[in-house]
Coordinates of all heavy atoms in Angstrom, one line a residue:
K34 N 101.0 132.1 139.2 CA 101.3 132.1 137.7 C 100.5 133.2 137.0 O 100.5 134.3 137.5 CB 101.2 130.7 137.2 CG 102.3 129.7 137.7 CD 102.1 128.3 137.4 CE 102.4 127.9 136.0 NZ 103.9 127.7 135.8
G35 N 99.8 132.8 136.0 CA 98.9 133.8 135.3 C 99.6 134.8 134.5 O 100.8 134.7 134.3
R36 N 98.8 135.8 134.0 CA 99.4 136.6 132.9 C 100.5 137.6 133.4 O 101.4 137.9 132.7 CB 98.3 137.4 132.2 CG 97.6 138.5 132.9 CD 96.6 139.1 131.9 NE 95.7 140.0 132.5 CZ 95.8 141.3 132.6 NH1 96.9 141.9 132.2 NH2 94.9 142.1 133.2
F37 N 100.5 138.0 134.7 CA 101.6 138.9 135.2 C 102.9 138.1 135.3 O 103.9 138.6 135.0 CB 101.2 139.5 136.5 CG 100.0 140.4 136.3 CD1 98.7 140.0 136.6 CD2 100.2 141.7 135.9 CE1 97.6 140.8 136.4 CE2 99.1 142.6 135.7 CZ 97.8 142.1 136.0
A38 N 102.8 136.8 135.7 CA 104.0 136.0 135.8 C 104.5 135.8 134.4 O 105.7 135.9 134.2 CB 103.6 134.7 136.5
Q39 N 103.6 135.4 133.5 CA 104.1 135.2 132.1 C 104.7 136.4 131.5 O 105.7 136.3 130.8 CB 102.9 134.8 131.2 CG 102.6 133.3 131.3 CD 101.3 132.9 130.7 OE1 100.7 133.8 129.9 NE2 100.8 131.7 130.9
A40 N 104.2 137.6 131.8 CA 104.7 138.8 131.2 C 106.2 139.0 131.7 O 107.1 139.3 131.0 CB 103.9 140.0 131.5
F41 N 106.4 138.8 133.0 CA 107.7 138.9 133.5 C 108.7 137.9 133.0 O 109.8 138.2 132.6 CB 107.7 138.9 135.1 CG 109.2 139.0 135.6 CD1 109.9 140.1 135.4 CD2 109.8 137.8 136.1 CE1 111.3 140.1 135.8 CE2 111.1 137.8 136.5 CZ 111.8 139.0 136.4
E42 N 108.2 136.6 133.0 CA 109.1 135.5 132.4 C 109.6 135.9 131.0 O 110.8 135.7 130.7 CB 108.3 134.2 132.4 CG 108.1 133.6 133.8 CD 107.1 132.4 133.8 OE1 106.3 132.3 132.8 OE2 107.2 131.6 134.7
S43 N 108.7 136.3 130.2 CA 109.1 136.6 128.8 C 110.0 137.9 128.8 O 111.0 137.9 128.0 CB 108.0 136.6 127.8 OG 107.2 137.7 127.9
A44 N 109.7 138.9 129.6 CA 110.5 140.1 129.6 C 111.9 139.8 130.1 O 112.9 140.3 129.6 CB 109.8 141.2 130.5
F45 N 112.0 138.9 131.1 CA 113.3 138.6 131.7 C 114.1 137.8 130.7 O 115.3 138.0 130.6 CB 113.2 138.0 133.1 CG 114.5 137.9 133.8 CD1 115.1 139.1 134.2 CD2 115.0 136.7 134.2 CE1 116.3 139.1 134.9 CE2 116.2 136.7 134.9 CZ 116.9 137.8 135.2
A46 N 113.5 136.8 130.1 CA 114.2 136.0 129.1 C 114.7 136.9 128.0 O 115.9 136.8 127.5 CB 113.3 134.9 128.5
D47 N 113.9 137.9 127.5 CA 114.3 138.8 126.4 C 115.5 139.7 126.9 O 116.4 139.9 126.2 CB 113.2 139.7 126.0 CG 112.1 139.0 125.2 OD1 112.4 137.9 124.8 OD2 111.0 139.6 125.0
F48 N 115.4 140.1 128.1 CA 116.4 141.0 128.7 C 117.8 140.3 128.6 O 118.8 140.9 128.3 CB 116.1 141.3 130.2 CG 117.1 142.1 130.9 CD1 117.2 143.5 130.8 CD2 118.1 141.4 131.7 CE1 118.2 144.2 131.5 CE2 119.1 142.2 132.3 CZ 119.1 143.5 132.2
C54 N 112.4 131.6 130.4 CA 112.5 131.8 131.8 C 111.3 131.2 132.5 O 110.1 131.4 132.0 CB 112.5 133.3 132.1 SG 112.4 133.7 133.9
L231 N 105.9 131.2 140.7 CA 106.0 132.6 140.8 C 104.6 133.2 141.0 O 103.7 132.9 140.3 CB 106.6 133.2 139.5 CG 106.9 134.7 139.4 CD1 107.8 135.2 140.6 CD2 107.4 135.1 138.1
G233 N 101.8 136.4 141.1 CA 101.5 137.5 140.3 C 102.0 138.9 140.9 O 102.5 139.7 140.2
A236 N 105.7 139.1 140.5 CA 106.0 139.2 139.0 C 105.7 140.7 138.6 O 106.5 141.3 137.8 CB 105.2 138.3 138.2
A237 N 104.6 141.3 139.1 CA 104.3 142.6 138.7 C 105.3 143.6 139.2 O 105.7 144.5 138.5 CB 102.9 143.0 139.2
L239 N 108.4 142.9 139.8 CA 109.7 142.7 139.0 C 109.6 143.3 137.6 O 110.5 143.8 137.1 CB 109.9 141.2 138.9 CG 110.4 140.5 140.2 CD1 110.3 139.0 140.2 CD2 111.8 141.0 140.6
S240 N 108.3 143.3 137.0 CA 108.2 143.9 135.7 C 108.3 145.4 135.8 O 108.8 146.0 134.8 CB 106.8 143.5 135.1 OG 106.7 142.2 134.8
V241 N 107.9 146.0 136.9 CA 108.1 147.4 137.0 C 109.6 147.7 137.2 O 110.1 148.7 136.6 CB 107.4 148.0 138.3 CG1 107.8 149.4 138.6 CG2 105.8 147.9 138.0
L243 N 112.3 145.8 136.2 CA 113.3 145.4 135.2 C 113.8 146.5 134.2 O 115.0 146.5 134.0 CB 112.6 144.2 134.4 CG 113.5 143.6 133.3 CD1 114.8 143.0 133.9 CD2 112.7 142.5 132.5

Side-chain angles (χ1 to χ4, degrees):
K34 291 171 76 82
R36 71 177 166 95
F37 295 94
Q39 273 167 15
F41 174 70
E42 288 169 336
S43 75
F45 193 60
D47 287 351
F48 175 85
C54 171
L231 180 61
L239 291 167
S240 290
V241 168
L243 184 59

